[in-house]
């Protein structure tokens, strides 16, 4: 199935769709979106704090990892996304459950050339606000989204911030917007826990499969040696 056909079926219509304070247009889903119903996070292109002279793909930063993606345009929206991630209880849970299997990704969308220029001039300050290992996961995107992509991401108000929980296959399993409402920090933490635990189970299954394959190869090798010795 093509990416275009995949993103043309927005699941946000199934969520509570009401007007909340601070530009909030929907509440996060009460549980993770099922993998088979989840949509792919679109590939966006922009430069990063680590390499501001080269355009890269966001997909390359997302694939293979559970990611909390903050998408925003402007300081107000960025501050809103931080209400999900800088909550004390969430930070405690993040320290307990992430274990290197999950990561944070920031996407700063600046379509206005003047605002994009200001961001460019402020890269030093942005770097000082986050550890160096996160610089390669802070993207500045200057091209806007099509109406189709905006709807698939639930972007009804481009002035507010959005937070997405994306699995290792780049599928959006949870999303929220505006400032964190009661229970949304906990919902995000639980979602990260479930996805990272599932990722660890997958890894264990792969490791077990490789071990089993290695044992079969060893047995065949030993069998061949015996046949060779007696032939």
């Amino acid at each position: 199935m093509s990416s275009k056909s995949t993103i043309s079926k927005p699941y946000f219509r199934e969520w509570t769709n009401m007007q909340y304070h601070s530009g909030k247009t929907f509440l996060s889903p009460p549980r993770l979106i099922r993998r088979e119903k989840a949509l792919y996070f679109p590939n966006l292109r922009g430069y990063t704090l680590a390499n501001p002279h080269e355009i890269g793909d966001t997909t390359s930063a997302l694939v293979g990892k559970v990611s909390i993606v903050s998408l925003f345009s402007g300081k107000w929206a960025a501050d809103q996304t931080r209400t999900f991630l800088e909550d004390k209880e969430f930070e405690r849970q993040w320290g307990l459950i992430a274990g290197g299997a999950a990561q944070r990704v920031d996407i700063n969308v600046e379509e206005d050339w003047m605002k994009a220029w200001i961001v460019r001039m402020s890269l030093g300050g942005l770097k000082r606000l986050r550890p160096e290992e996160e610089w390669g996961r802070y993207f500045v995107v200057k091209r806007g989204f099509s109406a189709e992509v905006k709807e698939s991401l639930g972007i009804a108000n481009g002035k507010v911030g959005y937070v997405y929980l994306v699995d290792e296959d780049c599928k959006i399993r949870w999303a929220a917007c505006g400032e964190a409402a009661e229970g949304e920090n906990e919902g995000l933490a639980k979602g990260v826990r479930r996805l990272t635990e599932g990722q660890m189970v997958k890894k264990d299954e792969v490791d077990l499969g490789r071990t089993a394959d290695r044992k079969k190869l060893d047995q065949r090798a030993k069998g061949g040696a015996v046949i060779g010795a007696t032939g």
Side-chain angles (χ1 to χ4, degrees):
M1 183 179 293
S2 69
S3 296
K4 186 174 182 180
S5 62
T6 301
I7 63 175
S8 64
K9 300 175 182 178
Y11 51 80
F12 291 89
R13 290 175 181 165
E14 299 176 6
W15 300 358
T16 305
N17 188 10
M18 299 173 63
Q19 291 295 326
Y20 294 90
H21 71 287
S22 300
K24 198 176 187 74
T25 55
F26 63 85
L27 288 173
S28 62
R31 60 188 63 85
L32 289 180
I33 297 163
R34 292 170 58 183
R35 188 179 184 281
E36 60 270 21
K37 290 188 175 182
L39 305 179
Y40 287 101
F41 193 90
N43 183 48
L44 305 175
R45 292 179 57 77
Y47 66 83
T48 67
L49 293 183
N51 194 349
H53 303 294
E54 182 177 329
I55 300 299
D57 296 313
T58 56
T59 297
S60 61
L62 298 177
V63 68
K65 282 273 193 178
V66 173
S67 305
I68 297 177
V69 180
S70 298
L71 189 149
F72 51 87
S73 178
K75 184 179 184 301
W76 186 59
D79 289 343
Q80 287 184 328
T81 65
R82 283 195 286 271
T83 65
F84 291 87
L85 307 177
E86 295 180 0
D87 171 77
K88 289 184 178 179
E89 178 58 21
F90 176 81
E91 288 182 335
R92 188 184 74 82
Q93 291 286 342
W94 176 261
L96 291 173
I97 66 184
Q103 63 181 6
R104 289 172 57 172
V105 177
D106 291 309
I107 303 177
N108 186 346
V109 181
E110 296 296 350
E111 299 178 67
D112 180 83
W113 72 268
M114 180 61 75
K115 290 181 179 179
W117 179 82
I118 292 173
V119 171
R120 189 88 180 188
M121 295 297 102
S122 306
L123 295 184
L126 290 172
K127 286 181 176 180
R128 287 192 290 273
L129 293 174
R130 50 192 39 81
E132 187 173 352
E133 61 267 22
E134 293 184 6
W135 291 358
R137 299 195 300 273
Y138 186 105
F139 289 83
V140 178
V141 176
K142 292 190 286 186
R143 287 190 61 183
F145 307 141
S146 67
E148 186 178 37
V149 171
K150 280 185 177 180
E151 186 171 0
S152 72
L153 290 173
I155 301 177
N157 184 346
K159 301 299 183 183
V160 303
Y162 294 83
V163 176
Y164 304 92
L165 179 56
V166 181
D167 67 20
E168 68 271 22
D169 296 318
C170 299
K171 285 196 164 189
I172 302 171
R173 306 295 298 278
W174 185 94
C177 72
E179 294 180 0
E182 184 178 355
E184 287 188 319
N185 301 92
E186 182 182 1
L188 177 57
K190 286 181 178 179
V192 173
R193 181 189 294 275
R194 283 196 60 188
L195 290 184
T196 52
E197 287 176 349
Q199 191 178 44
M200 291 173 187
V201 168
K202 276 186 181 180
K203 182 179 182 300
D204 289 342
E205 289 175 348
V206 170
D207 290 343
L208 285 172
R210 288 174 177 169
T211 301
D213 290 341
R214 173 56 60 187
K215 287 181 179 179
K216 289 179 181 178
L217 289 173
D218 289 343
Q219 290 172 353
R220 288 175 183 174
K222 289 178 182 178
V226 171
I227 293 172
T230 58

